[in-house]
């Protein structure tokens, strides 16, 4: 009988986000016979708490800020003595990498990069400090998992991450779960033609660009409604923009939804208007539901997901004009796409096995 690998995953919270959902998906599906799985959260706020499997032991540090968790996490690691500590999201990655400097901690460290760092750091108030910390601390990790090859190249070329430590593992999509959630829902739409976008209402997701594009779409396509599913700090600014464009009767922002698949799966078209991305799970989920996708060819791994004319449409980034033209073209003369090969590439079983093999490669 093989010895279980004890692994401690680290997350800042249970609030809904792509990185959080991916990590929970992975830890839930690691084989119990091979892994003793623990999850540390800085605080247990958020909607995803109930999605963690019963066999996963949760350790709540009950703190408000990641920076205050250095000593409590150090104590937890010394108490549990895990074989591997695994984190995602920048601040947790830096925290765990910093702990690896402590000579009394002998555990291996894996960090998973959740975005394209060069683009993502533009939103940080002290971007120069994050660049320095990335350069100093990321090399302390034993393995850095990147969601795309573009992300891997970014870390190597701009942050000095040793190439032998950086690997690419794509995000998984749980096709069965997505389709089951969709089947258990009712359509929220009354309009005949619906465009859907999903994500946090922030600068990265580019919903302001989408609204400008939709203004042109509305003038040419008549009875069409845009629904933006999500919540965030930019809601008021977006609502003001909707009013200024006279789109109040044609744009809906229903907020955060625990089951966004009711919206995605009943849409005529899904649009990703992000200024930059890591590897957007929502595009894979749209594939799983057979919904056509138009996306900006933004910084990140979009070319590793969308193959034009095969499984979707790519538009030059941040061009509202060209995004509008692509949407109008798809609505007038719908292209059909094949998602099977793409979904195989991101299958949950395959990706979880890659994570399991990577973790076990560090354990004697």
């Amino acid at each position: 009988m093989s010895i279980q690998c004890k692994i401690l995953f680290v997350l800042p919270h249970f609030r809904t986000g792509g990185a959080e959902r991916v990590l929970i998906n992975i830890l839930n599906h690691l084989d119990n016979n091979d892994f003793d799985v623990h999850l540390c959260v800085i605080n247990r706020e958020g909607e995803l708490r109930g999605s963690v499997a019963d066999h996963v032991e949760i350790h709540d540090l009950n703190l408000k800020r990641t920076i205050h968790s250095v000593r409590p996490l150090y104590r937890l690691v010394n108490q549990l003595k895990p074989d591997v500590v695994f984190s995602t999201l920048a601040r947790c990655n830096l925290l765990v990498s910093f702990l690896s400097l402590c000579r009394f901690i002998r555990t291996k460290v894996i960090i998973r990069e959740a975005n394209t760092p060069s683009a993502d750091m533009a939103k940080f108030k002290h971007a120069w400090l994050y660049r320095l910390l990335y350069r100093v601390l990321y090399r302390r990790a034993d393995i850095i998992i990147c969601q795309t090859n573009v992300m891997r190249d970014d870390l190597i070329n701009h942050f000095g991450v040793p190439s032998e430590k950086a690997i690419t593992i794509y995000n998984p999509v749980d096709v069965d779960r997505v389709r089951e959630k969709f089947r258990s829902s009712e359509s929220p739409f009354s309009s005949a033609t619906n465009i859907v976008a999903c994500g946090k209402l922030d600068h990265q997701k580019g919903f302001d660009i989408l609204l400008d594009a939709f203004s042109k779409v509305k003038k040419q396509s008549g009875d069409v409604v845009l629904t933006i599913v999500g919540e965030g700090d930019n809601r008021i600014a977006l609502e003001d923009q909707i009013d200024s464009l006279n789109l109040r009767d044609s744009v809906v922002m229903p907020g955060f939804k625990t089951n966004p698949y009711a919206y995605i799966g009943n849409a005529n078209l899904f649009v990703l208007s992000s200024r930059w991305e890591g590897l957007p799970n929502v595009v894979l989920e749209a594939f799983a539901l057979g919904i056509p996708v138009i996306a900006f060819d933004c910084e990140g791994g979009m070319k590793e997901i969308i193959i034009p004319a095969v499984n979707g449409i790519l538009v030059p980034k941040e061009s509202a004009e060209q995004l509008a033209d692509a949407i109008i073209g798809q609505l007038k003369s719908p292209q059909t796409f094949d998602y099977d090969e793409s979904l195989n590439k991101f299958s949950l079983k395959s990706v979880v096995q890659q994570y399991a093999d990577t973790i076990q490669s560090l354990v004697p």
Side-chain angles (χ1 to χ4, degrees), residues 28-57:
N28 280 347
H29 288 89
L30 288 173
D31 192 328
N32 289 349
N33 295 318
D34 297 327
F35 296 95
D36 176 15
V37 181
H38 296 253
L39 173 61
C40 171
V41 289
I42 309 304
N43 67 72
R44 61 194 300 131
E45 295 176 355
E47 305 85 359
L48 293 175
R49 169 65 184 86
S51 65
V52 179
D54 291 340
H55 69 269
V56 177
E57 186 172 349

Side-chain angles (χ1 to χ4, degrees), residues 319-357:
S319 172
E321 188 75 16
Q322 293 183 74
L323 179 59
D325 290 343
I327 293 172
I328 292 167
Q330 177 63 22
L331 294 180
K332 286 185 175 178
S333 302
Q335 298 183 55
T336 56
F337 301 107
D338 182 5
Y339 307 106
D340 290 344
E341 187 172 343
S342 299
L343 290 173
N344 288 337
K345 185 177 178 181
F346 301 100
S347 76
L348 179 63
K349 182 177 180 181
S350 171
V351 171
V352 170
Q353 187 60 55
Q354 290 176 63
Y355 270 91
D357 292 343

Side-chain angles (χ1 to χ4, degrees), residues 10-24 40-42 48 66 86-97 110-117 120 123-124 130 134 138 144-145 147 151 200 204 281:
V10 181
L11 274 176
H13 47 66
F14 287 118
R15 292 195 292 273
T16 299
E20 293 88 345
R21 288 194 293 135
V22 166
L23 199 69
I24 290 173
C40 171
V41 289
I42 309 304
L48 293 175
T66 303
F86 188 128
S87 69
T88 193
L89 293 170
R91 288 173 182 171
C92 282
N93 290 346
L94 294 171
L95 167 66
V96 168
S97 299
I110 298 176
I111 57 179
R112 173 186 173 274
E113 185 57 41
N115 225 316
T116 304
D120 196 41
K123 70 184 181 184
F124 293 137
Y130 277 92
Y134 263 61
Y138 262 46
I144 301 111
I145 295 177
Q147 300 173 46
M151 189 183 295
K200 189 175 182 180
Q204 177 186 352
N281 304 315

Side-chain angles (χ1 to χ4, degrees), residues 98-133:
F98 176 76
L99 284 181
S100 70
L101 293 169
C102 302
R103 61 190 179 91
F104 299 111
I105 291 181
R106 297 287 181 257
T107 186
K108 299 292 186 180
V109 170
I110 298 176
I111 57 179
R112 173 186 173 274
E113 185 57 41
N115 225 316
T116 304
S118 290
D120 196 41
M121 282 186 189
K123 70 184 181 184
F124 293 137
K125 184 177 180 180
H126 301 293
W128 66 271
L129 178 59
Y130 277 92
R131 292 191 187 96
L132 176 62
L133 291 173

Side-chain angles (χ1 to χ4, degrees), residues 38-197:
H38 296 253
L39 173 61
C40 171
V41 289
I42 309 304
N43 67 72
R44 61 194 300 131
E45 295 176 355
E47 305 85 359
L48 293 175
R49 169 65 184 86
S51 65
V52 179
D54 291 340
H55 69 269
V56 177
E57 186 172 349
I58 298 174
H59 307 268
D60 177 18
L61 300 185
N62 194 28
L63 298 166
K64 292 298 181 183
R65 301 186 63 192
T66 303
I67 196 170
H68 296 155
S69 61
V70 175
R71 188 172 295 175
L73 182 58
Y74 175 83
R75 287 197 297 264
L76 178 62
V77 171
N78 273 314
Q79 173 192 336
L80 289 177
K81 294 181 172 53
D83 299 294
V84 177
V85 176
F86 188 128
S87 69
T88 193
L89 293 170
R91 288 173 182 171
C92 282
N93 290 346
L94 294 171
L95 167 66
V96 168
S97 299
F98 176 76
L99 284 181
S100 70
L101 293 169
C102 302
R103 61 190 179 91
F104 299 111
I105 291 181
R106 297 287 181 257
T107 186
K108 299 292 186 180
V109 170
I110 298 176
I111 57 179
R112 173 186 173 274
E113 185 57 41
N115 225 316
T116 304
S118 290
D120 196 41
M121 282 186 189
K123 70 184 181 184
F124 293 137
K125 184 177 180 180
H126 301 293
W128 66 271
L129 178 59
Y130 277 92
R131 292 191 187 96
L132 176 62
L133 291 173
Y134 263 61
R135 283 189 166 275
V136 172
L137 294 178
Y138 262 46
R139 61 178 57 248
R140 297 292 307 178
D142 294 281
I143 294 176
I144 301 111
I145 295 177
C146 307
Q147 300 173 46
T148 67
N149 293 320
V150 169
M151 189 183 295
R152 179 178 183 272
D153 291 343
D154 188 55
L155 282 170
I156 293 170
N157 296 331
H158 295 107
F159 298 94
V161 167
S163 59
E164 66 273 12
K165 290 189 174 186
I167 66 172
T168 299
I169 302 179
Y170 291 129
N171 288 351
V173 56
D174 189 343
V175 174
D176 292 338
R177 175 184 171 275
V178 169
R179 290 174 177 170
E180 176 56 34
K181 295 277 280 184
F182 166 67
R183 286 193 293 266
S184 68
S185 65
E186 296 183 0
S187 174
F189 301 131
S190 56
S191 173
T193 304
N194 290 277
I195 300 169
V196 168

Side-chain angles (χ1 to χ4, degrees), residues 233-250:
D233 294 338
N234 280 14
R235 171 174 281 277
I236 294 175
L238 292 172
E239 288 178 341
D240 289 344
Q241 185 180 359
I242 290 168
D243 288 335
S244 69
L245 293 170
N246 295 315
L247 294 174
R248 178 60 63 183
D249 295 333
S250 304

